[in-house]
C-alpha cells in the first residue's frame, strides 16, 4: 500500500517536467509501521538451539509475512485464544553458549509485534523442542504454567496480573501441562500411567493434587506428550495408534474412552511427529499425523497421511495423503483448514474437503530454524 | 567423570528412575514391532529431519545398525538426537576439548550388530560451546519416550544441569550390557 | 523520523562526512566501468553469496535494475547488503512493526530505470529483533566503500547506534535526487 | 585413538566367552578430551549476525575437525603468530536481539580450546563482517587493538598483561588497524587518501599520531581495507587492480611503491572479495583474488582466479583458476599452500605448484554461518 502511494504520486505528476518525462520521485519519510494488518494469523515458533528463536506471524489465509517477535534459545510459545497476546518460554545465556543463564517468559502484543513485558522465571525452565504442552495458560487466563526440568520435573506458575512467579509445583515423574477448561487447574501425564491434576488456590500460591491412576500403559503403549482437547476431555494418542480420552471435568482425572485408530488396518500405521495431533471443535474432528511401517523409534517420523477421527463414533472417518509433516494445527472455529509444519522447514496450508475427506495444498511458505509449533488465531 | 550414571540416576525423580531402569532394560525394537501390528521392515522411510539444512547428510529415521561412528546410523546412536561429537573434535565417549561434560544424560538400549548383544548407552551432551553446526545432526529414537520417562527422553537439552547450559554435541557412552 | 539523514551526517566524523557527500553525489557505475579498463557488461556473474543457504534465492551480484521491491535486484537496492524488510513485515521505507528504526544509515546512489534519474538512497537497518532469516539476504555494492568512507560502507551493522543493536532487516528509503 | 583402544580390548578377549563368540564390550568412562591433536592448524571464524559465532580449528594438512571455540555476534578473530592464543571481538546482547549490549574480547587457549579470559571493552566495538583489519595485535605482543564504530571510528587498546583497556584512540574518518612490524604502533587508512600512524606510549595509555598524505585516491580508486604485510610495508590493493605499498618503517607512513596488476590485461579483471589478499613471506609472493568484467559494485564478488604477484618485480607471475573464493590466506613459512573461504560456505585447501604456477585442490570442508576469515598457524 505504501509502495503504491509513492508510485501514484510519481505517476500523477508525469509529463509536467520539461527536461524529463516526469517529475522526480518525492523524498520519503523513514519510520516504523505501527501495527500489522488486521485479520487472523498463523503464528509459528522458529526454535534455535544456540541463539535467538522467533515467533513469525503470517496471514492465516495467504500466509503473508506480517513480521516476527524475538525469543531466546530452546524456546516454545503460547498464543492466547483471542490471538492477541503471545508468550514464549526460553533461555538466555550471558555468553550465548556459556555463562549465567536466565529462563525468561516474554509477553508479546501480537498487533504491534512488541515485547510488552517479561518475567524472569526460576532458572530451570525446560530447554526442549517446542512442544505445546510445555507452556500453557489457565482457562481463566490468570496464570501461565511453564514446564521445568532439572531434570526433575516441576511447573512454574506465573501470576499474569502481578507479573511475577506465584509458585513452583513439583511434578515428579510427570510431564506436560494440560489445563482444565475452566478455572485454574491443570493436569500432567506421569510415567506410571497416571494423570495428576493440580488445582490452584485463588492467589495461585498453593495447589492441591489429585491422581488418576491407570490411564495408560507407559511400557506397552506410551502416549505422546502432545494431546488435543475435545469436549470429552484430554485426547491422547499412543505410540501404537490408540486414542485415550481422559476427563478432568470433576477434578479427578479418569479414563473415559479409548479405541484403536489402526485395528484392522494393514500397513503398520502409527502416529508420528512432534505436535502431531489437533482437534477442531468446529468440525468435531481430531486430526492425527500417521505413517506406515511403524517401528520402535519411528514415533517422530514425518507423516505420510493425516487421519480424520470422529471421537463420538470412535472411528477414522477419513485418510488423506499428507507427506512430510511433523506438526499440525487446525484453524479455529469451523474453518476447514489445517496447517502443517514440514520436515523440510516450511509451513503448508491445507484446505479440507469434508465431503470427500480430501485435502488440497493452498499455500506454503519456507521457514527457518526449527519450526515445530504453530497456532492459528481467530 | 566416573559414576556419572549413578549421579544421573540419583538426581532423577523416583518415578522416573524406576521407569527408566525398567524400560531401558526391557524395551527393544523387536517387542515394539510385534505390537505395532503388521510389520513392514526396511521400508522406504528415510525422512529428512528438521534440522540444519546446511548439512543434507544430517538425516535420521530408520534403524541404527552401522559400524561407522562418524555416521548417523552407527549402532550406538539408536536413540541419539543431536550433533555428533565424533565430528566435532570429540570421540564416541569423550567430549571435545574445552567443552563441559553433561552431569546428566538420557539412555538407550542398542544392539551391537557385531555380537548381537543389547547394550545400555548413555547419551551425554557436551556443553558450554556454540552449537556444533559443523557436525551432522542425527536423530534416532529407539526406545525414546516423552518427558514423563525423562531418562529416555531426547528432545531436551541434557546440558540442563550444567554450569553452562549451551548445547554443543552428543556422545554415546557404552555403559554395559542391557541384559 | 524526519531529519534522520541530517542526524546521521551530523554524527559522522568530518572527514567521513565530506567524503560521503562527495562520493555519493559523483560516483556511479558508469564512471567506474570507464576506469576499470575493458568493459564486459552483463557478464555471467551471478555469484552465490555467502549468506543463509536456506534461501537459495538469496543471491546478489550484478547490477540492480529491477522493479520488484520483493526481489534483490530492485533498483533501489543497488548498494543494499542485508535482508529485505519488504519480506519481513515492513515496506521499502518503513521498518516492520515492533522493530526499532536505525538512527544512522549508509547511503547509495541508484539509477531509477523508469526515469533514468540517479537517486540518493538511505539504507536504514531495522533493529531490536531476531535476524529476519525469513527474508532474502541481498548483496549489491554499487558505490560501496570500505569503512574509511563509513557512510558508504555496508559490511557493518547500522543498528550500531541504537538502544537495541540486534540486526533485523534493511529498508531503502528514497532521500532525493542525487544530481 | 580412543575408539581403537576400545575395539582392541574387545578383540583381545574374543572367543573367551562360552555362550557367544566374544566377551561383551567393556564399559567406558565418559569425560572431556584434554587437548587437541598437535600440529599446525587452520582456524576459521564462523560469524553469526544474530547469535553465537565460533572459531573452528582444523588440521592444516587434512582439515580434520579438532573442535571449536565460542564467540558472540558480528565478530571477528585474531590468532597470534605462534598459533597458540586466539582472540575474538564480538557483541553479546542480554536478550540476543535486543537489550543491553557488551563488546567482549575473548582470549582463547588454542591447544585446550578453552576461553582463558575475557576483557569487556567499551560498548562500541565494531559489528561488521570478519575483516582481519578490525582486530589486531601489536608486534611486541603487548597490546590488542580493536576497531570501534559508533559510527565514529576509534580504536580500543587492550593491555594484555593488565587484562584491561589502556585507552581509546579516536581515529576520525579512518578505518582498519595495520600494526607496525616492531613495537606497538599501528597505522590506519583514512578516507582522504592518507594513512595515519599511532605510536603508543610504553604503558599504552597515550598515543602520538603521524599522518602520511596522498597515499591513495579514495574517489578514483579506493583501496580495500584488507591488506597484506610484505618486507616493503603495508601492501594495499585497489578496486581497479593497482597495488600500493606504504612503508611505516620510520613512523611516518609514505607510499613507496605502486603498480598495476591489470595493465595490458584484457577482460576487465579486478580484485574482489573480503579478506582477498595474502602474502607469503616464505614464497615471497602476494596472492590476490580476481574476477573479470569488473563493475562498480563487483568488489566483493567471488573470485575466478588467484593471481600470484612478485612485488619486487612489480609483476603478476602467475594466474591460476580458482572460482568462488571470497577470502584467502597463505600457509605460514614457505609451505606452498593456500586456503580459501568459498561463497558456498566451505574451506578449500590448495596446493601450489610454483614451477607451473598451478593450484590443485587438496581438501575441502563444509563450514557454517558466515566464514570470511581464516588463519593458518605454524
Amino acid at each position: 500500500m505504501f509502495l503504491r502511494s509513492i508510485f501514484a504520486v510519481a505517476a500523477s505528476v508525469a509529463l509536467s517536467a520539461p527536461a524529463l518525462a516526469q517529475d522526480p520521485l518525492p523524498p520519503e519519510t523513514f519510520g516504523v509501521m505501527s501495527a500489522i494488518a488486521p485479520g487472523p494469523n498463523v503464528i509459528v515458533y522458529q526454535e534455535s538451539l544456540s541463539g535467538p528463536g522467533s515467533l513469525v506471524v503470517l496471514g492465516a489465509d495467504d500466509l503473508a509475512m506480517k513480521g516476527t517477535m524475538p525469543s531466546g534459545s530452546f524456546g516454545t510459545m503460547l498464543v492466547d485464544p483471542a490471538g492477541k497476546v503471545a508468550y514464549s518460554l526460553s533461555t538466555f545465556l550471558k555468553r550465548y553458549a556459556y555463562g549465567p543463564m536466565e529462563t525468561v517468559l516474554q509477553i508479546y502484543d501480537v498487533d504491534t509485534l512488541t515485547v510488552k513485558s517479561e518475567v524472569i522465571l526460576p532458572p530451570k525452565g525446560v530447554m526442549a523442542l517446542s512442544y505445546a504442552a510445555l507452556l500453557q495458560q489457565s482457562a481463566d487466563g490468570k496464570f501461565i504454567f511453564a514446564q521445568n526440568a532439572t531434570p526433575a520435573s516441576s511447573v512454574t506458575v506465573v501470576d499474569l496480573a502481578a507479573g511475577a512467579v506465584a509458585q513452583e509445583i513439583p511434578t515428579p515423574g510427570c510431564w506436560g501441562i494440560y489445563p482444565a477448561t475452566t478455572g485454574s487447574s491443570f493436569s500432567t501425564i506421569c510415567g506410571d500411567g497416571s494423570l495428576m491434576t493440580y488445582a490452584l488456590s485463588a492467589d495461585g500460591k498453593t495447589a492441591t493434587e489429585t491422581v488418576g491412576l491407570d490411564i495408560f500403559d507407559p511400557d506397552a503403549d506410551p502416549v505422546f506428550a502432545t494431546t488435543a482437547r475435545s469436549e470429552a476431555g484430554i485426547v491422547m494418542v499412543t505410540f501404537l495408534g490408540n486414542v485415550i480420552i481422559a476427563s478432568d471435568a470433576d477434578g479427578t482425572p479418569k479414563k473415559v474412552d479409548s479405541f484403536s485408530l489402526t485395528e484392522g488396518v494393514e500397513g503398520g500405521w502409527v502416529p508420528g511427529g512432534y505436535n502431531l495431533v489437533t482437534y477442531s471443535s468446529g468440525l468435531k474432528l481430531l486430526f492425527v499425523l500417521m505413517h506406515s511401517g511403524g517401528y520402535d523409534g519411528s514415533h517422530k517420523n514425518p507423516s505420510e497421511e493425516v487421519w480424520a477421527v470422529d471421537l463420538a463414533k470412535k472411528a477414522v472417518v477419513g485418510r488423506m495423503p499428507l507427506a512430510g509433516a511433523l506438526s499440525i494445527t487446525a484453524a479455529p472455529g469451523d474453518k476447514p483448514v489445517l496447517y502443517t509444519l514440514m520436515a523440510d522447514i516450511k509451513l503448508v496450508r491445507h484446505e479440507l474437503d469434508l465431503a470427500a475427506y480430501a485435502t488440497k495444498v493452498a499455500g506454503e511458505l519456507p521457514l527457518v530454524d526449527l519450526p515445530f509449533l504453530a497456532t492459528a488465531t481467530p | 567423570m566416573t559414576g556419572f550414571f549413578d549421579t544421573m540416576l540419583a538426581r532423577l525423580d523416583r518415578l522416573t528412575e524406576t521407569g527408566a531402569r525398567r524400560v531401558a532394560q526391557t524395551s527393544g525394537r523387536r517387542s515394539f514391532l510385534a505390537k505395532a501390528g503388521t510389520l513392514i521392515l526396511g521400508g522406504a522411510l528415510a525422512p529428512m529431519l528438521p534440522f540444519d539444512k546446511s548439512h543434507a547428510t544430517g538425516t535420521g529415521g530408520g534403524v541404527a545398525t552401522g559400524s561407522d561412528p562418524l555416521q548417523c546410523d552407527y549402532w550406538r546412536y539408536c536413540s541419539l538426537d543431536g550433533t555428533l561429537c565424533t565430528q566435532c573434535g570429540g570421540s564416541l565417549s569423550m567430549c571435545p576439548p574445552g567443552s563441559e561434560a553433561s552431569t546428566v544424560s538420557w539412555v538407550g538400549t542398542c544392539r551391537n550388530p557385531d555380537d548381537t548383544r543389547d547394550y545400555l548407552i548413555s547419551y551425554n551432551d557436551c556443553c558450554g560451546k556454540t552449537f556444533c553446526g559443523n557436525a551432522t545432526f542425527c536423530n534416532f529414537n529407539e526406545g525414546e519416550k516423552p518427558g514423563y520417562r525423562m531418562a529416555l527422553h531426547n528432545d531436551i537439552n541434557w546440558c540442563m544441569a550444567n554450569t553452562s547450559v549451551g548445547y554443543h554435541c552428543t556422545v554415546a557412552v557404552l555403559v554395559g550390557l542391557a541384559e
Side-chain angles (χ1 to χ4, degrees), chain A residues 127 131 191 223 295 299-300 370, chain B residues 50 62 141 148-149 154-155 157:
Chain A
M127 296 182 279
Y131 286 99
V223 296
Y295 54 89
H299 56 286
K300 298 175 201 164
L370 300 178
Chain B
N141 296 291
Y148 54 74
R149 285 286 170 86
N154 72 11
D155 284 333
N157 176 17

Side-chain angles (χ1 to χ4, degrees), chain A residues 162-372:
Chain A
V165 173
Q167 67 168 320
E168 180 191 340
I169 303 175
T171 53
C174 306
W175 194 247
I177 300 155
Y178 310 93
T181 54
T182 59
S184 57
S185 68
F186 68 92
S187 296
T188 178
I189 301 175
C190 304
D192 62 355
S194 68
L195 265 64
M196 194 77 81
T197 296
Y198 294 88
L200 266 60
S201 58
D203 62 3
K205 293 189 173 171
T206 60
T208 57
E209 63 186 65
T210 310
V211 68
L213 295 170
D214 298 327
I215 291 177
F216 70 104
D217 183 334
D219 298 314
D221 190 16
V223 296
F224 287 88
T226 300
T227 69
R229 167 66 73 169
S230 80
E231 300 76 10
I234 300 167
V235 183
M236 298 175 277
V237 294
T238 73
F239 281 27
L240 297 182
N242 293 299
V243 170
I244 297 172
I245 303 180
S247 173
D248 55 355
D250 70 358
T252 300
K254 55 183 69 74
K255 176 152 69 172
V256 294
D257 216 343
S258 70
F259 61 95
S260 170
L261 296 173
T262 56
E263 201 176 338
V265 177
E266 297 214 337
W269 289 86
V270 289
Y274 292 81
N275 292 295
L276 78 168
V277 25
T278 187
Y279 182 73
S280 167
S281 56
L283 306 177
K284 296 272 186 298
L285 287 173
L286 179 78
F287 297 94
V288 186
L289 296 176
M290 301 288 293
H291 62 273
S292 64
Y295 54 89
D296 182 6
S298 80
H299 56 286
K300 298 175 201 164
N301 281 12
S303 67
E304 297 169 31
E305 295 184 357
V306 59
W307 289 14
V309 182
D310 185 321
L311 294 174
K313 293 181 181 163
K314 302 188 188 187
V316 175
V317 293
R319 286 177 54 173
M320 295 159 276
L322 200 168
L326 293 173
S327 294
I328 187 167
T329 193
D334 58 2
K335 192 157 62 172
V337 168
L338 298 171
Y339 301 92
T340 55
L341 292 165
M342 312 303 285
D344 57 350
I345 319 288
K346 66 186 179 190
L347 175 75
V348 177
R349 180 177 183 275
H350 309 266
E351 289 177 356
L352 273 170
D353 175 350
L354 287 166
Y357 286 112
T359 61
K360 182 181 73 173
V361 170
E364 64 176 62
L365 191 77
L367 298 169
V368 295
D369 296 324
L370 300 178
F372 284 112

Side-chain angles (χ1 to χ4, degrees), chain A residues 32-288:
Chain A
V32 180
M33 288 182 164
S34 56
I36 63 174
N41 299 312
V42 184
I43 305 180
V44 182
Y45 191 84
Q46 299 180 134
E47 179 171 8
S48 170
L49 304 185
S50 62
S54 59
L55 292 77
V56 56
V57 181
L58 309 168
D61 297 325
D62 56 4
L63 306 188
M65 163 65 95
K66 295 188 178 182
T68 72
M69 298 179 282
S71 179
S73 296
F74 305 111
T76 188
M77 72 163 184
L78 169 71
V79 182
D80 81 325
K84 295 301 183 189
V85 182
Y87 306 85
S88 83
L89 172 73
S90 68
T91 300
F92 292 91
L93 302 186
K94 187 170 186 189
R95 290 292 173 256
Y96 292 2
Y98 64 96
M101 71 90 88
E102 288 183 308
T103 297
V104 179
L105 178 74
Q106 287 163 300
I107 305 176
Y108 311 92
D109 178 62
V110 174
D111 281 345
T112 57
L113 300 180
T114 51
V115 182
K116 290 199 300 183
S117 61
E118 66 173 38
V119 184
I120 297 177
L121 307 189
K124 52 176 75 168
V126 63
M127 296 182 279
L129 298 185
S130 312
Y131 286 99
L134 303 179
L135 182 66
Q136 288 291 328
Q137 184 168 21
S138 61
D140 59 17
K142 289 182 183 168
F143 302 104
I144 293 288
F145 305 123
Q147 179 71 54
N148 298 318
T150 64
S153 175
S154 63
V155 171
T156 293
V157 178
V158 178
D159 180 332
L160 281 175
V165 173
Q167 67 168 320
E168 180 191 340
I169 303 175
T171 53
C174 306
W175 194 247
I177 300 155
Y178 310 93
T181 54
T182 59
S184 57
S185 68
F186 68 92
S187 296
T188 178
I189 301 175
C190 304
D192 62 355
S194 68
L195 265 64
M196 194 77 81
T197 296
Y198 294 88
L200 266 60
S201 58
D203 62 3
K205 293 189 173 171
T206 60
T208 57
E209 63 186 65
T210 310
V211 68
L213 295 170
D214 298 327
I215 291 177
F216 70 104
D217 183 334
D219 298 314
D221 190 16
V223 296
F224 287 88
T226 300
T227 69
R229 167 66 73 169
S230 80
E231 300 76 10
I234 300 167
V235 183
M236 298 175 277
V237 294
T238 73
F239 281 27
L240 297 182
N242 293 299
V243 170
I244 297 172
I245 303 180
S247 173
D248 55 355
D250 70 358
T252 300
K254 55 183 69 74
K255 176 152 69 172
V256 294
D257 216 343
S258 70
F259 61 95
S260 170
L261 296 173
T262 56
E263 201 176 338
V265 177
E266 297 214 337
W269 289 86
V270 289
Y274 292 81
N275 292 295
L276 78 168
V277 25
T278 187
Y279 182 73
S280 167
S281 56
L283 306 177
K284 296 272 186 298
L285 287 173
L286 179 78
F287 297 94
V288 186

Side-chain angles (χ1 to χ4, degrees), chain B residues 6-110:
Chain B
D6 288 341
T7 305
M8 182 273 288
L9 286 179
R11 295 179 69 151
L12 288 174
D13 321 309
R14 252 198 78 260
L15 269 172
T16 307
E17 177 185 348
T18 310
R21 282 190 170 141
R22 188 168 64 238
V23 176
Q25 291 169 12
T26 62
S27 76
R29 73 177 68 101
R30 282 146 296 275
S31 62
F32 181 93
L33 284 168
K35 292 168 197 159
T38 309
L39 298 188
I40 299 193
L41 286 170
L45 289 174
M48 181 159 74
L49 284 155
F51 299 111
D52 182 10
K53 287 192 294 186
S54 66
H55 286 92
T57 53
T59 60
V63 179
T65 57
S67 58
D68 182 354
L70 295 172
Q71 299 294 323
C72 280
D73 71 349
Y74 180 62
W75 68 272
R76 283 201 208 180
Y77 301 157
C78 80
S79 192
L80 186 152
D81 185 13
T83 53
L84 299 183
C85 290
T86 53
Q87 294 183 6
C88 202
S91 74
L92 261 181
S93 61
M94 299 286 273
C95 288
S99 63
E100 260 187 31
S102 72
T103 56
V104 292
S105 69
W106 81 100
V107 296
T109 302
C110 302

Side-chain angles (χ1 to χ4, degrees), chain A residues 15-34:
Chain A
L15 305 178
S16 63
L20 286 158
Q22 56 193 37
D23 277 354
L25 298 177
E28 295 171 354
T29 301
F30 173 51
V32 180
M33 288 182 164
S34 56

Side-chain angles (χ1 to χ4, degrees), chain B residues 105-147:
Chain B
S105 69
W106 81 100
V107 296
T109 302
C110 302
R111 178 153 296 184
N112 178 359
D114 289 337
D115 67 7
T116 69
R117 288 185 173 100
D118 289 337
Y119 288 90
L120 198 64
I121 307 296
S122 175
Y123 300 104
N124 283 80
D125 288 341
C126 303
C127 312
K129 286 199 185 192
T130 311
F131 176 82
C132 191
N134 295 83
T136 307
F137 204 116
C138 301
N139 189 354
F140 284 96
N141 296 291
E142 189 171 337
E144 200 270 349
K145 295 287 180 298

